[in-house]
Amino acid sequence: MKDGFIKVAACTPEIQVADVDFNVDKIISQFEKCREEGVKVAVFPELCITGYTCQDLFFQNALLDKAMEGVVKIAKTTADSDMLVAVGVPVRANGKLYNCAAAIQDGEVRAFVPKTHLPNYNEFYEARHFAPYRGECAAIDLREYGQLEFIPPMEQTIFVCEEIPELVVGFELCEDLWVADPVSNYLAKAGATLICNLSASDEVIGKDSYRRQLVSNQSARLVAGYIYCSAGDGESTQDMVFSGHNIIAENGSILAESRLFENGITISEIDFKKLVFERRKISTYPASAEWDYSSKDSGFLDKDNISRERFSLEIGETALTRKFAKTPFIPSNQAERNERCHLILQMQSHGLMKRIAHTHSKTVVIGISGGLDSTLALLVCVMAMDLLKRPHTDIVAVTMPCFGTTKRTRSNAEILCDALGVTFREVDISKAVLQHFEDIGHDYNDHSVVFENGQARERTKVLMNIANQVSGMVVGTGDLSELALGWATYNGDHMSMYGVNASIPKTLVRHIVQYYGDTCTSDTLRDVLYDILDTPVSPELLPTDESGTEMTQKTEDLVGPYELHDFFLYYGIRWGFEPSKVKRLAKYAFEGDYPDQVIDKWLKTFYRRFFSQQFKRSCLPDGAKIGSVTLSPRGDWRMPSDAVAKLWLEDIDK
């Protein structure tokens, strides 16, 4: 449970219809396996103690009595475990029969949560046997079945963990999710962060896909964890088959899923601190209801007829089994990745198209270095001109070689511009920079930040003045990762009139350029893009070797690997994780790639630079938001430039 992770399970045991002893033994067996795995919340299918397909046997007292004995037996098995367990069972109350989830913990049945919406269409006819829940309550006396110390209620209940206040568990049963106004909507508004669905969903063609989307969408809509557990092998096949389709989701993401027609246990870890962070951030998410236990007459499924029970869990570290992508900004699926890259290019080019049209710019001016960022920005400029039905010659691409420019990048810049048909200009800035050094009294052999930034600012001055010459606007090339680290020269490459890459992290820039190369029709263009992809990232601000072919400056040697920094950016800034938690996840995701001390080093670099360089982000040029992370001072990120990083740096060493 460290860092907010709770291990949860959806369990589908083998059953035999109406054989309660057999079913209880199988449930207990899976419970024991869950305990061995460190599971803290386990969910079993709807009516699994008896079987969902008992039909008119549900009218038999013998079956109902045996079911109560069974649920008490399961409860007693949990006496030495703090796991919260939910099993499906028929319950008699108020002269009716209810389809319930029995919430069990610490040796007791804590509550029976009844099903609200009963399907009575197509193959379903639950209303023949069960009554729908309409807010009524009852006390279920289990003393004759062996539970002596506690009489559980039958009512809608959410369970609040005393040790982990972010963990609030609510229950709905099968159809409660499929209706137009799901029960889980009310549970989430009441504060539930984990929804457990006990289901017996039969399988028909296409239903598994719909079910998966339904669970994923509901978890996203509620910003919640969701455990969907369905009946499987052993249910009657008289008219239906059940596949045991189990799904664990978190805020729209499927964390784990069982194969169809395979009984078993599906386990993952849900991050409740992440969920609570997102709910706090979303201003339209309703505040959890204030609870008034004295009144229950305000209506069905209102805050006043959802009771709140407390439960305890032993605090410990949750072993992680879920996957954390090394590159969270990039889909792992090739087809999805290509679709994402195509969409991003469309968003970037349409954003630039609007700005060109609005400013009546006759041209766009861009500095082209032969590196990744300027390459992507140039491709976006080309697409924007195509949208405007204007010639590519309206793009003025300027290469500005100086002391650190290599023959490879200089050549690639020219080949790229020629392949795209843009106007190409070369302005060697060496003499201007040397004159500037002489003017301010700086020694050429002093390769300090003055040496580097003098070149960067000269390039920006050249671009701005050429833009004035050709009635154009300067398109910026800097990316999101550079903005996060402040790896830009203030009023140098930091400045432009529109920043098309401002919301694109460096790891994603590479994939977008790769996608463009893979899908373009020109062999020349494809070859130069592939060579640019193979070129190390460098600002090329320090002198090359004598041959002019070898870079003496590589960005990732100086500030750290961009795949690490993008990982830190995603989890530390997008999700607000504590640095110690970001470190834990990075070591888990990059195990075998980087030693722990290397991750520690670059994580400290990330936070130190992120805090110290905010002043550069406070005056960024315009640039459209593309993904879920952006650092625009007018958009998602507002931070004082003089905030202190001490708290975050100390947390890394905890």
Side-chain angles (χ1 to χ4, degrees):
M1 289 171 283
K2 179 183 176 184
D3 299 320
F5 292 107
I6 309 294
K7 194 177 291 292
V8 301
C11 309
T12 299
E14 177 189 0
I15 71 154
Q16 292 182 1
V17 179
D19 189 345
V20 173
D21 288 336
F22 179 90
N23 300 342
V24 167
D25 287 345
K26 294 297 183 181
I27 292 169
I28 290 173
S29 175
Q30 288 195 340
F31 161 78
E32 296 291 355
K33 291 178 182 177
C34 288
R35 176 158 55 182
E36 292 171 5
E37 294 294 328
V39 170
K40 294 300 181 182
V41 180
V43 184
F44 289 81
E46 182 180 16
L47 295 170
C48 60
I49 285 181
T50 58
Y52 176 80
T53 50
C54 285
Q55 301 186 48
D56 284 359
L57 293 179
F58 283 125
F59 292 131
Q60 297 289 312
N61 284 327
L63 181 65
L64 300 178
D65 287 337
K66 193 65 176 179
M68 287 294 103
E69 291 177 11
V71 78
V72 170
K73 181 179 179 181
I74 295 168
K76 289 182 176 180
T77 305
T78 71
D80 57 350
S81 169
D82 61 353
M83 190 190 314
L84 181 63
V85 181
V87 298
V89 62
V91 176
R92 289 166 292 187
N94 303 325
K96 296 292 183 181
L97 185 64
Y98 295 88
N99 180 348
C100 290
I104 298 168
Q105 199 221 14
D106 197 22
E108 292 182 330
V109 180
R110 298 288 304 276
F112 292 101
V113 180
K115 187 172 183 176
T116 299
H117 302 284
L118 302 182
N120 220 53
Y121 56 89
N122 296 339
E123 65 267 43
F124 301 107
Y125 49 93
E126 285 187 33
R128 177 180 175 90
H129 309 111
F130 299 102
Y133 178 64
R134 289 293 179 265
E136 61 272 28
C137 300
I140 309 301
D141 192 343
L142 297 179
R143 285 176 294 184
E144 64 178 294
Y145 304 109
Q147 177 163 310
L148 301 178
E149 297 183 4
F150 183 79
I151 298 178
M154 188 208 71
E155 59 184 347
Q156 186 55 260
T157 305
I158 58 175
F159 286 80
V160 183
C161 181
E162 292 184 343
E163 294 78 11
I164 309 166
E166 296 91 351
L167 175 58
V168 182
V169 185
F171 302 94
E172 63 183 357
L173 287 89
C174 201
E175 189 77 4
D176 289 344
L177 168 65
W178 297 69
V179 296
D181 189 15
V183 170
S184 48
N185 290 355
Y186 298 89
L187 299 176
K189 285 190 284 188
T193 53
L194 175 61
I195 306 299
C196 301
N197 188 310
L198 294 74
S199 181
S201 179
D202 64 318
E203 203 58 57
V204 295
I205 295 298
K207 194 173 182 180
D208 62 323
S209 177
Y210 183 83
R211 191 187 293 120
R212 185 182 303 111
Q213 293 175 11
L214 188 66
V215 171
S216 172
N217 290 341
Q218 187 68 351
S219 72
R221 184 178 295 107
L222 301 182
V223 191
Y226 203 105
I227 308 173
Y228 184 91
C229 180
S230 192
D233 184 40
E235 290 287 357
S236 172
T237 59
Q238 181 178 11
D239 292 298
M240 297 180 286
V241 291
F242 295 83
S243 65
H245 191 189
N246 294 338
I247 304 168
I248 299 175
E250 175 191 274
N251 193 23
S253 298
I254 302 295
L255 303 182
E257 182 177 5
S258 67
R259 294 183 179 181
L260 299 185
F261 301 103
E262 290 187 8
N263 291 352
I265 303 173
T266 302
I267 295 176
S268 191
E269 301 81 39
I270 295 177
D271 186 348
F272 290 93
K273 285 191 175 182
K274 178 181 177 182
L275 295 172
V276 171
F277 168 84
E278 189 71 352
R279 287 185 178 186
R280 285 199 307 266
K281 190 176 179 181
I282 299 173
S283 61
T284 52
Y285 202 94
S288 297
E290 295 295 327
W291 295 91
D292 177 9
Y293 297 105
S294 63
S295 172
K296 291 192 180 294
D297 58 1
S298 60
F300 172 55
L301 276 183
D302 193 84
K303 69 182 180 66
D304 293 322
N305 57 25
I306 302 177
S307 66
R308 177 173 286 202
E309 296 285 340
R310 297 192 176 276
F311 72 106
S312 294
L313 291 178
E314 182 180 345
I315 299 296
E317 183 163 330
T318 300
L320 297 176
T321 61
R322 61 185 283 187
K323 302 298 182 183
F324 291 90
K326 298 176 185 178
T327 52
F329 292 104
I330 303 166
S332 58
N333 178 272
Q334 179 70 48
E336 186 180 351
R337 185 162 62 246
N338 288 345
E339 184 179 349
R340 177 79 56 86
C341 291
H342 176 76
L343 175 60
I344 290 171
L345 285 167
Q346 293 293 316
M347 295 173 70
Q348 289 178 283
S349 56
H350 277 78
L352 179 58
M353 174 189 70
K354 168 65 177 178
R355 183 52 55 93
I356 295 170
H358 177 73
T359 57
H360 304 288
S361 296
K362 293 182 178 179
T363 65
V364 293
V365 178
I366 181 172
I368 188 75
S369 66
L372 273 175
D373 288 346
S374 64
T375 296
L376 175 57
L378 180 59
L379 296 174
V380 171
C381 290
V382 167
M383 293 179 66
M385 288 302 178
D386 288 343
L387 290 170
L388 291 165
K389 299 185 180 348
R390 288 173 54 175
H392 293 181
T393 51
D394 284 356
I395 302 167
V396 180
V398 186
T399 185
M400 294 165 281
C402 198
F403 315 125
T405 304
T406 61
K407 293 178 180 178
R408 180 182 186 181
T409 55
R410 166 63 184 79
S411 173
N412 280 342
E414 186 169 4
I415 294 170
L416 177 66
C417 292
D418 183 63
L420 292 170
V422 305
T423 300
F424 179 73
R425 291 183 61 172
E426 179 176 336
V427 178
D428 191 317
I429 64 169
S430 303
K431 290 182 180 179
V433 173
L434 288 172
Q435 180 63 54
H436 178 63
F437 287 167
E438 181 180 338
D439 291 343
I440 66 172
H442 181 76
D443 184 355
Y444 171 85
N445 295 309
D446 177 5
H447 295 165
S448 64
V449 68
V450 176
F451 184 88
E452 296 187 42
N453 286 351
Q455 298 170 72
R457 293 193 176 102
E458 179 64 29
R459 286 182 171 126
T460 300
K461 181 179 74 173
V462 169
L463 292 174
M464 294 287 184
N465 289 338
I466 288 178
N468 290 153
Q469 280 184 334
V470 296
S471 300
M473 57 180 287
V474 176
V475 174
T477 63
D479 63 53
L480 178 65
S481 306
E482 292 177 342
L483 293 175
L485 294 167
W487 191 249
T489 299
Y490 192 84
N491 207 34
D493 52 311
H494 158 261
M495 193 48 59
S496 67
M497 297 166 185
Y498 196 76
V500 294
N501 294 339
S503 189
I504 314 294
K506 182 76 77 176
T507 51
L508 186 54
V509 169
R510 178 173 296 278
H511 284 275
I512 299 172
V513 173
Q514 177 79 50
Y515 166 77
Y516 199 101
D518 291 343
T519 56
C520 70
T521 57
S522 165
D523 291 340
T524 302
L525 179 56
R526 182 184 304 109
D527 290 344
V528 72
L529 290 177
Y530 286 171
D531 195 63
I532 289 170
L533 285 163
D534 288 337
T535 304
V537 178
S538 173
E540 293 192 323
L541 294 173
L542 294 181
T544 65
D545 65 350
E546 292 184 1
S547 68
T549 59
E550 292 295 325
M551 291 178 179
T552 58
Q553 187 182 30
K554 295 180 181 179
T555 298
E556 292 182 293
D557 292 343
L558 301 171
V559 295
Y562 275 115
E563 64 176 350
L564 283 179
H565 286 306
D566 285 356
F567 188 93
F568 302 154
L569 175 65
Y570 182 77
Y571 288 107
I573 305 305
R574 165 63 182 92
W575 290 108
F577 288 179
E578 301 90 336
S580 56
K581 183 173 179 179
V582 175
K583 178 171 75 171
R584 177 189 179 189
L585 297 185
K587 291 179 177 179
Y588 177 70
F590 291 97
E591 184 177 8
D593 295 335
Y594 299 100
D596 289 356
Q597 61 269 26
V598 171
I599 291 176
D600 285 357
K601 171 187 174 181
W602 295 124
L603 183 59
K604 289 179 180 178
T605 297
F606 174 82
Y607 278 102
R608 185 171 58 251
R609 292 192 65 94
F610 188 83
F611 274 77
S612 67
Q613 301 294 298
Q614 172 61 28
F615 72 96
K616 294 179 182 177
R617 298 188 292 268
S618 293
C619 55
L620 286 179
D622 290 357
K625 176 178 179 177
I626 300 297
S628 62
V629 184
T630 179
L631 298 174
S632 168
R634 299 166 298 277
D636 290 37
W637 189 253
R638 293 164 179 80
M639 172 181 170
S641 297
D642 44 10
V644 177
K646 177 183 176 183
L647 179 65
W648 286 261
L649 294 172
E650 288 177 347
D651 189 69
I652 295 173
D653 294 325
K654 279 202 312 187

